[in-house]
Amino acid sequence: MEPQTADRTQSPSSPSPDSPAAPGPLASFVRFVVCGGGIGVLSSFVVPLVAMTMPWAVANAVITVASTLLCTELHALFTFGTGRRPGWRRHLQSSGSAAAAYAVTCAAMFLLHVIQSAPGMLTEQAVYLTASGLAGIGRFLVLRLFVFTSGRKSPLRPRRPVLPLPRPVLTRAAVATTC
């Protein structure tokens, strides 16, 4: 395993010389859906298999962690084209965005059951998929704009360097006129 020091040695606004150009927003979104959706579908088949050897909640947690780690690797290398594997900082940020997406879907389902005491399965699916889609779009934006920004300018960084204001030079003549 190679050391993960790239996050500290290169500035986020300077791409590494061997990294390919980052894909545009539409291409990144399509890649995000394919990678994340593909891993999500595979995970849904793996959880029941793993659950045969351990409690379902534990199996779900293990597969969720593993799939999040795998997705972060794919997003760094393929979806956002950083040209290098993500370090621990990016893995933690990606996990945080996944946890936030999970919280959004849970909150949507909770609100549905507050509003309607016994919703039908079709209503539950519609609410869950809508919340999941919105959370996925939010997660894509967080990953693209904040987590995997190397090679691109971040929207929070100034585009031009901010130069310090010139300091006034005090000459004897200037001091003599003020005194």
Side-chain angles (χ1 to χ4, degrees):
M1 190 165 165
E2 59 188 82
Q4 300 289 326
T5 59
D7 288 337
R8 284 180 251 127
T9 58
Q10 288 185 338
S11 71
S13 62
S14 64
S16 67
D18 59 344
S19 67
L26 183 60
S28 290
F29 185 73
V30 169
R31 292 175 179 188
F32 178 81
V33 171
V34 169
C35 288
I39 297 300
V41 169
L42 288 174
S43 297
S44 70
F45 289 115
V46 173
V47 170
L49 296 174
V50 175
M52 288 192 277
T53 63
M54 61 184 70
W56 188 91
V58 175
N60 188 29
V62 167
I63 298 304
T64 298
V65 168
S67 66
T68 301
L69 290 171
L70 178 59
C71 279
T72 301
E73 293 284 335
L74 290 173
H75 291 328
L77 296 172
F78 180 68
T79 303
F80 300 109
T82 63
R84 62 180 181 266
R85 294 182 62 199
W88 285 110
R89 179 183 64 83
R90 286 192 170 136
H91 273 292
L92 288 172
Q93 290 172 328
S94 180
S95 297
S97 71
Y102 174 78
V104 166
T105 56
C106 287
M109 294 307 290
F110 175 76
L111 286 174
L112 171 64
H113 285 274
V114 166
I115 294 169
Q116 194 174 6
S117 62
M121 189 186 311
L122 189 61
T123 303
E124 284 182 329
Q125 273 302 98
V127 168
Y128 177 78
L129 290 174
T130 301
S132 185
L134 292 173
I137 291 169
R139 186 162 187 256
F140 169 77
L141 291 172
V142 166
L143 293 177
R144 179 163 172 86
L145 297 175
F146 300 106
V147 178
F148 297 108
T149 58
S150 61
R152 296 187 309 268
K153 294 191 185 266
S154 170
L156 299 180
R157 291 192 188 101
R159 298 208 182 263
R160 295 181 306 178
V162 178
L163 301 174
L165 294 174
R167 294 187 353 207
V169 178
L170 294 177
T171 62
R172 287 186 185 180
V175 172
T177 57
T178 58
C179 292

